[in-house]
Every structure is written in C-alpha cells, then in structure tokens.
Amino acid sequence: MFFISDALAQTAPAAAPGAEGAWTSILFMVLIFVVFYFLLIRPQVKRQKEHKAMVDALNKGDEVLTAGGIIGKITDLTDQYVTLQITSVDNKAVEISVQRAAVQTLLPKGTMKSI
C-alpha cells in the first residue's frame, strides 16, 4: 500500500584520529594570523611610522591641526611640546602649548589667513 520503502539509517565509519586533523587545525590558525597581520597589524604600523616622521619633521611656521581640532601656526618647538599661535587679539598673539604627538595633520601653507 505504501509506495515508499522504509529508510534505514546507516552508521558512518568513524574518522580515525590522526595527524590530518592536527595539521588542519594548525594550518587554519596560521591562516587566521596571516590575515590579521595583513589586514590589521601592518597598516597600523605603517600609519604610526608616517605620523612619527611627520611629527619629527615639524618646523616653525608650519600650520597644523591638533587631535583636539585646533588649527594653529607653530611658533616654538621643544623635544616634547609645540607652541601654537591660534589667533591674535588686539595685536597680541594667543598661544597654546600641546604635545608633539597631539599634532595630527600638517596643513598646506596659507590655510590660516586670519593670523
């Protein structure tokens, strides 16, 4: 009366625990590390080197943007700090000191026209 015969489950042969599983796991972990290196670690190190080179090359008169969003012209440099002239009030310069590492971007000359 039934046209479909009963399906009988068959047991699959058990996989032998061998070196193939261990090598696959190790290869997978190495592959993940390589992907992380090329997508995350290497670009970050490159950006850090470029920022360090830019901070080391700062000179008086350069116009910069700080990490806090302040635009200023460099008036004095020391090993750790940069003095920025941010504006003039009554012909007196308004200056602030920031750490060299806080300088984020070197702006093109003439960006600050109001000083």
Side-chain angles (χ1 to χ4, degrees), residues 15-28:
E20 293 176 6
W23 283 109
T24 305
S25 298
I26 292 172
L27 184 63
F28 182 71

Side-chain angles (χ1 to χ4, degrees), residues 31-49:
L31 179 68
I32 293 293
F33 179 75
V34 168
V35 167
F36 271 106
Y37 176 76
F38 281 107
L39 293 180
L40 298 174
I41 298 169
R42 188 171 175 218
Q44 180 65 27
V45 170
K46 183 178 177 183
R47 279 191 295 270
Q48 286 175 343
K49 284 182 183 178

Side-chain angles (χ1 to χ4, degrees), residues 85-113:
Q85 179 183 357
I86 55 175
T87 190
S88 294
V89 176
D90 296 330
N91 294 328
K92 292 182 182 178
V94 177
E95 296 182 341
I96 60 171
S97 291
V98 295
Q99 290 182 336
R100 276 183 164 234
V103 174
Q104 187 175 20
T105 307
L106 184 63
L107 299 173
K109 296 282 184 186
T111 302
M112 296 182 57
K113 297 181 190 239

Side-chain angles (χ1 to χ4, degrees), residues 44-101:
Q44 180 65 27
V45 170
K46 183 178 177 183
R47 279 191 295 270
Q48 286 175 343
K49 284 182 183 178
E50 290 172 354
H51 183 260
K52 184 174 180 346
M54 185 267 306
V55 168
D56 290 340
L58 291 175
N59 293 317
K60 286 185 180 180
D62 287 343
E63 296 174 2
V64 295
L65 173 70
T66 66
I70 298 172
I71 295 175
K73 185 180 286 190
I74 297 175
T75 58
D76 190 29
L77 292 165
T78 63
D79 290 338
Q80 296 292 323
Y81 296 97
V82 175
T83 303
L84 299 176
Q85 179 183 357
I86 55 175
T87 190
S88 294
V89 176
D90 296 330
N91 294 328
K92 292 182 182 178
V94 177
E95 296 182 341
I96 60 171
S97 291
V98 295
Q99 290 182 336
R100 276 183 164 234

